């Protein structure tokens, strides 16, 4: 069984599976998902907890021994397996798969891993976890969903905010969900219950946003020019290398150009290693918006930025990124 993180609460209210595998690249949501499983297990009498974090040289017979059925008078137990690398190795994979074939009724297995690549998700041990229990997919909160996410968190502490305040908060915490959670909790302490005014929020909230080039490309293709400019300025302020920013933007342009010639977007995403889901959706939405001539001009501009970065061409790279964005944002299909 496979669930998104936001579906887990409803699932746990009805039942408790024998095993849970939580994988994703958003630490706050992964931690909250694991906490929810632990809380549900405690309510159902799983009073003991044992944690393994296998490293090099780990003896997987210890895990196998821990998964043996408990004695008649022993407490039910949650057995946690944390795999920071996402790869248990041959022996570990075999041990996990073997247990999942015959899970114990008095034990709940909770496996935490980072976002797994497709090959690992198709591995025997991960498939066994899905058959024996539930795989919980943890995805980052996209920028478009961030105001609603903040509103839901505020509601938990009996607070609300008008749309402009939610947008302001989203701008200040974009790309840093753990800090977003901390800022929302801070508002519970300093602002009290009820609707939040902009002045109070501006005084209380720090600018803790983190930016990445994929967010810049997504904003550009979503025709959100103010956000594109803000992310670019943030990247420059954080000391991001313009080479990587150019790599992401150029990859997107090459995908769009190939798609305009009939190429499959899924195959092009794999070829250019564009695995960022929000960016993929933005590319899909923009695929018919740009004409061949406009994409050729944009790629020529990207080549000029590359020469500027290397010091053999005119122009300042960060300014040229903004000019490239303006041209694409205000262009039309040729």
């Amino acid at each position: 069984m496979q669930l998104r993180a936001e579906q887990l609460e409803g699932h746990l209210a009805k039942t408790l599976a024998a095993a849970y595998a939580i994988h994703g690249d958003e630490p706050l949501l992964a931690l909250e998902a694991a906490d929810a499983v632990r809380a549900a297990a405690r309510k159902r009498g799983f009073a003991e907890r044992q944690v393994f974090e296998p490293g090099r040289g780990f003896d997987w017979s210890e895990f196998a021994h821990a998964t043996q059925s408990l004695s008649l008078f022993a407490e039910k137990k949650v057995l946690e397996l944390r795999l920071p690398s996402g790869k248990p190795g041959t022996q570990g994979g075999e041990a996990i798969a073997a247990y999942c074939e015959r899970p114990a009724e008095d034990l709940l297995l909770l496996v935490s891993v980072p976002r797994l690549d497709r090959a690992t998700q198709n591995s025997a041990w991960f498939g066994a976890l899905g058959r024996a229990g539930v795989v919980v997919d943890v995805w980052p909160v996209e920028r478009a969903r961030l105001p609603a996410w903040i509103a839901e968190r505020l509601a938990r502490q009996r607070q609300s905010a008008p749309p402009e305040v939610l947008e302001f908060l989203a701008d200040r915490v974009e790309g840093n969900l753990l800090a977003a959670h901390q800022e929302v909790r801070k508002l519970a302490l300093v602002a009290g219950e009820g609707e939040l005014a902009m002045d109070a929020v501006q005084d209380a909230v720090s600018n803790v946003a983190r930016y990445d080039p994929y967010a810049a490309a997504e904003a550009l293709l979503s025709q959100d020019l103010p956000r594109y400019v803000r992310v670019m300025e943030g990247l420059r302020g954080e000391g991001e290398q313009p080479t990587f920013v150019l790599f992401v933007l150029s990859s997107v342009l090459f995908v769009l150009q190939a798609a305009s010639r009939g190429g499959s977007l899924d195959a092009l995403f794999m070829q250019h290693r564009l695995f960022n889901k929000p960016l993929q959706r933005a590319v899909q939405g923009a695929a018919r918006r740009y004409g061949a001539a406009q994409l050729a001009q944009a790629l020529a501009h990207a080549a000029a930025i590359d020469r500027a970065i290397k010091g053999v061409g005119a122009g300042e790279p960060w300014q040229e990124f903004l000019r490239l964005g303006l041209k694409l944002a205000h262009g039309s299909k040729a």
Side-chain angles (χ1 to χ4, degrees):
M1 183 184 213
Q2 195 158 2
L3 296 175
R4 290 183 66 93
E6 56 266 29
Q7 298 172 309
L8 181 60
E9 185 177 353
H11 161 82
L12 292 172
K14 300 174 184 177
T15 187
L16 188 67
Y20 289 87
I22 299 171
H23 80 118
D25 43 18
E26 182 48 71
L28 173 67
L29 299 185
L31 178 61
E32 290 183 340
D35 285 343
V37 172
R38 294 186 197 103
R42 283 195 299 270
K43 289 181 181 179
R44 290 169 172 82
F46 287 80
E48 290 190 14
R49 179 180 171 212
Q50 186 174 3
V51 179
F52 287 114
E53 190 166 339
R56 175 176 289 185
F58 177 73
D59 184 356
W60 280 94
S61 66
E62 294 183 32
F63 170 80
H65 177 73
T67 59
Q68 300 301 312
S69 294
L70 305 179
S71 68
L72 182 62
F73 302 103
E75 297 277 5
K76 291 182 177 181
K77 179 171 67 175
V78 174
L79 180 61
E80 292 193 34
L81 188 59
R82 299 174 181 172
L83 301 171
S85 70
K87 298 183 184 297
T90 302
Q91 289 185 338
E94 291 174 352
I96 294 169
Y99 171 74
C100 289
E101 292 301 319
R102 291 194 299 174
E105 294 183 0
D106 45 15
L107 187 145
L108 184 147
L109 178 61
L110 175 58
V111 181
S112 297
V113 290
R115 170 67 52 197
L116 300 178
D117 57 30
R118 190 177 299 275
T120 307
Q121 290 186 49
N122 291 332
S123 63
W125 68 271
F126 197 72
L129 282 168
R131 291 190 298 273
V134 176
V135 172
V136 182
D137 287 324
V138 178
W139 294 98
V141 178
E142 300 169 17
R143 175 58 180 79
R145 292 178 50 230
L146 191 52
W149 184 89
I150 294 171
E152 188 272 333
R153 296 285 166 140
L154 289 173
R156 294 183 188 181
Q157 53 199 41
R158 298 181 181 180
Q159 292 178 314
S160 63
E164 62 272 17
V165 173
L166 294 174
E167 285 293 336
F168 170 79
L169 284 168
D171 286 344
R172 304 289 278 189
V173 300
E174 180 181 356
N176 194 349
L177 207 61
L178 181 58
H181 170 71
Q182 294 169 341
E183 294 297 326
V184 169
R185 294 297 299 149
K186 184 198 299 183
L187 288 170
L189 298 174
V190 302
E193 296 180 3
E195 184 170 279
L196 301 173
M198 178 65 83
D199 290 346
V201 172
Q202 288 176 331
D203 290 341
V205 174
S206 305
N207 187 352
V208 292
R210 290 178 185 166
Y211 302 104
D212 69 75
Y214 297 101
E218 178 205 346
L220 179 60
L221 296 185
S222 301
Q223 297 184 302
D224 189 348
L225 190 57
R227 181 178 169 226
Y228 173 76
V229 173
R230 185 171 64 250
V231 173
M232 279 296 180
E233 291 176 345
L235 288 169
R236 185 177 189 176
E238 291 174 356
E240 180 63 73
Q241 293 299 313
T243 305
F244 183 52
V245 178
L246 179 63
F247 169 78
V248 173
L249 291 177
S250 298
S251 297
V252 168
L253 292 172
F254 280 123
V255 167
L256 287 170
Q257 185 181 63
S260 72
R261 297 170 177 169
S264 164
L265 279 176
D266 287 340
L268 290 167
F269 290 148
M270 291 293 294
Q271 178 185 344
H272 292 277
R273 305 189 64 79
L274 289 181
F275 303 126
N276 182 283
K277 293 296 183 181
L279 180 54
Q280 287 183 355
R281 284 189 284 272
V283 171
Q284 290 165 349
R288 297 182 180 275
R289 188 183 308 140
Y290 302 109
Q294 188 179 5
L295 290 170
Q297 291 172 1
L299 283 166
H301 195 158
I305 296 174
D306 181 55
R307 292 192 293 273
I309 292 173
K310 294 174 179 176
V312 295
E316 196 284 320
W318 292 102
Q319 291 298 319
E320 293 304 316
F321 285 139
L322 299 183
R323 290 184 59 197
L324 174 61
L326 285 168
K327 287 181 180 180
L328 283 173
H330 295 300
S332 58
K333 187 176 177 69

